[in-house]
Amino acid sequence: MTTDTIVTAAMLAIGDELLSGRTKDKNIGHLADLLTISGIDLKEVRIVADDEEAIVAALNGLRGHYDYVFTSGGIGPTHDDITADAVSRAFGVECIHDPEAMTLLGDMYARRNMEFTEARRRMARMPNGSTHIPNAVSTAPGFVIGNVHVMAGVPQVFQAMLQAVLPTLKTGATVLSRSVQSPFGEGDIGGPLGEVQKAHPETSIGSYPKFDGTSFSTELVIRARDAAILVAAEADVKAMLDGIAASRRT
């Protein structure tokens, strides 16, 4: 579903293991890549511990500011998987064993000749009134309530859930980008580049320094939603660099 408006999103990654460094997050980059392709601007990412107060505060701080919030982690079978409880509390609804999720999981464990234990039943818990996010990898669903999409932390499962979610989202105009390689360091181009940015307020021009062991250079990335605006800004960036090069030859 595409519109001409700007659509925004935030991500809330949940888990003590992320903050301790024991687990290296792979979901943030994957989400950012797919949202960018889809024309949704990822504006903010927060990482919080497995702490109900922290999750509720972060979620309530995000969901009123962005069109969508995506969470990862904390919907498994163990005692520290408290995301369903925290999301329920944030929305002021009861956290229940969802009947459809109970059937999905019960049938799956029956097929595998495994006991549907109380711990496994925890994966069917979600806020009352939620709808499911399908899980093509391990059956246990994520859920959607309001503008919040709650997904697993395991990257393979997160990615599968995200693929199911993306077609349901409204999207905006895709951000286009061009890269220009500058042989000069940021200190040499900072002033002139700022003037180029002022002349093209509908673009975003980022500078990314590089060092090859001998000298500095900079990759300049120009972003805009309109192709003509992007091309005009790129031309001015290249002209700026040509001007700096010419001044050094004289």
Side-chain angles (χ1 to χ4, degrees):
M1 295 178 286
T2 304
T3 71
D4 293 329
T5 60
I6 295 174
V7 181
T8 61
M11 181 175 181
L12 180 62
I14 300 165
D16 293 341
E17 68 279 5
L18 298 174
L19 293 168
S20 70
R22 185 159 44 87
T23 297
K24 311 302 180 187
D25 181 87
K26 296 181 180 179
N27 296 327
I28 295 171
H30 183 77
L31 178 67
D33 285 343
L34 293 191
L35 292 185
T36 297
I37 292 169
S38 299
I40 299 173
D41 293 355
L42 183 62
K43 290 292 191 179
E44 184 174 353
V45 175
R46 298 190 193 183
I47 302 175
V48 297
D50 293 306
D51 177 88
E52 188 170 320
E53 296 289 340
I55 297 169
V56 170
L59 188 60
N60 283 336
L62 294 171
R63 64 190 180 94
H65 288 86
Y66 302 104
D67 294 299
Y68 298 115
V69 177
F70 302 91
T71 79
S72 66
I75 56 173
T78 58
H79 70 282
D80 58 346
D81 288 311
I82 58 172
T83 298
D85 300 274
V87 175
S88 299
R89 180 175 160 191
F91 279 88
V93 298
E94 184 182 1
C95 188
I96 64 168
H97 284 85
D98 180 81
E100 184 182 351
M102 288 288 285
T103 298
L104 283 171
L105 288 166
D107 290 348
M108 183 267 289
Y109 283 112
R111 289 193 301 271
R112 297 170 63 184
N113 294 314
M114 298 174 67
E115 183 183 357
F116 192 21
T117 63
E118 188 56 41
R120 290 168 177 152
R121 290 169 187 261
R122 284 180 58 83
M123 293 186 289
R125 297 170 74 250
M126 58 187 66
N128 192 18
S130 299
T131 57
H132 286 197
I133 299 174
N135 175 356
V137 177
S138 56
T139 304
F143 57 85
V144 182
I145 181 168
N147 63 340
V148 178
H149 294 72
V150 177
M151 297 181 285
V154 176
Q156 185 182 7
V157 181
F158 179 89
Q159 292 168 21
M161 289 183 174
L162 184 58
Q163 287 294 340
V165 164
L166 286 173
T168 71
L169 305 178
K170 65 178 182 179
T171 59
T174 302
V175 176
L176 308 173
S177 68
R178 296 279 185 91
S179 294
V180 177
Q181 301 302 319
S182 164
F184 311 112
E186 285 188 307
D188 297 314
I189 64 174
L193 184 63
E195 294 304 312
V196 174
Q197 178 69 87
K198 288 179 184 178
H200 298 276
E202 294 183 47
T203 69
S204 172
I205 305 175
S207 63
Y208 305 94
K210 300 179 178 180
F211 183 65
D212 63 6
T214 303
S215 61
F216 285 97
S217 61
T218 312
E219 180 183 14
L220 303 176
V221 180
I222 310 152
R223 299 180 177 88
R225 284 188 158 82
D226 183 281
I229 291 173
L230 182 69
V231 169
E234 180 186 23
D236 280 1
V237 166
K238 289 180 176 178
M240 174 204 73
L241 295 175
D242 288 344
I244 294 174
S247 69
R248 293 194 170 194
R249 289 195 295 268
T250 59

